[in-house]
Amino acid sequence: EAGVTQFPSHSVIEKGQTVTLRCDPISGHDNLYWYRRVMGKEIKFLLHFVKESKQDESGMPNNRFLAERTGGTYSTLKVQPAELEDSGVYFCASSPGQGASTDTQYFGPGTRLTVL
Amino acid sequence: GNSVTQMEGPVTLSEEAFLTINCTYTATGYPSLFWYVQYPGEGLQLLLKATKADDKGSNKGFEATYRKETTSFHLEKGSVQVSDSAVYFCALTSPYAGSYQLTFGKGTKLSVIP
């Protein structure tokens, strides 16, 4: 069974440009999460999808970030326009079923974003 | 709000040494507790978890016990190997958070030398 995949693995862009990150969850997993780790800080929650619906987007830092999950399969996270402080590693995770606090979340390898 | 505090590294140990990485938490109600590990060049993997008080999670020789009285979930291994070199993250989820988001500690980098 394929794990969570993310694309690209690395992205280097200039301030003001747009970047789109993609996450493909494990097949059949309805729950999809985005997290990010800024240098030297904790991994922070961004948002949670259940199928195509946003269950919780309380962690999204501002309106420059837009996440979508059309059709309830893969998800994209767009940053537009990118700022220097957006640099970090963006992780995607998925989990099966109805969702519960006891569930294991399965993580992808992350996308390292560098904004110059 | 929820928070996780874990000992900051880096931690360097010799092979076969005993490992403890301390983790304490603050959360509403009864959180589930997790240890994730990130090996070099890879994503986060679940190492072990415990979902209620006094539960012990274990995997690959690692253990952690959910201690509600001390709000702790310390990670231990009796004899580390070079292959255990990685970054270890303590994390929790709370059923009261509205969503099952993980709250992470800052991570502890472990290096095991032969």
Side-chain angles (χ1 to χ4, degrees), chain A residues 34-51:
Chain A
W34 283 99
Y35 296 86
R36 75 171 178 178
R37 188 182 192 196
V38 174
M39 180 73 74
K41 304 281 190 179
E42 298 92 336
I43 300 170
K44 292 285 194 181
F45 166 79
L46 296 178
L47 87 160
H48 171 203
F49 283 101
V50 178
K51 297 184 180 179

Side-chain angles (χ1 to χ4, degrees), chain B residues 45-67:
Chain B
Q45 303 174 24
L46 178 71
L47 181 59
L48 54 83
K49 70 179 183 181
T51 59
K52 60 182 187 293
D54 299 324
D55 268 1
K56 178 186 284 188
S58 61
N59 186 26
K60 299 182 180 180
F62 291 88
E63 294 183 339
T65 300
Y66 188 141
R67 301 286 189 200

Side-chain angles (χ1 to χ4, degrees), chain A residues 2 10 34 36 42 45 54 57 62 66 81 86-87 90:
Chain A
H10 294 86
W34 283 99
R36 75 171 178 178
E42 298 92 336
F45 166 79
K54 293 176 184 174
E57 52 185 331
N62 52 62
L66 175 64
D86 300 332
S87 296
Y90 289 75

Side-chain angles (χ1 to χ4, degrees), chain A residues 35 101, chain B residues 2-4 24-28 31-34 90-94 100-105:
Chain A
Y35 296 86
S101 62
Chain B
N2 298 332
S3 67
V4 174
T24 58
Y25 67 88
T26 301
T28 304
S32 294
L33 303 174
F34 304 81
C90 185
L92 66 82
T93 57
S94 169
Y100 306 119
Q101 56 180 277
L102 284 158
T103 299
F104 285 91

Side-chain angles (χ1 to χ4, degrees), chain B residues 30-48:
Chain B
Y30 299 90
S32 294
L33 303 174
F34 304 81
W35 277 100
Y36 278 85
V37 58
Q38 185 178 25
Y39 297 103
E42 300 183 13
L44 281 77
Q45 303 174 24
L46 178 71
L47 181 59
L48 54 83

Side-chain angles (χ1 to χ4, degrees), chain B residues 7 13 23 37 43 48 55 61 65 71 79 81 84 87 92-93 114:
Chain B
M7 62 185 286
L13 295 174
C23 172
V37 58
L48 54 83
D55 268 1
T65 300
T71 61
S79 176
Q81 305 300 312
D84 294 326
V87 182
L92 66 82
T93 57

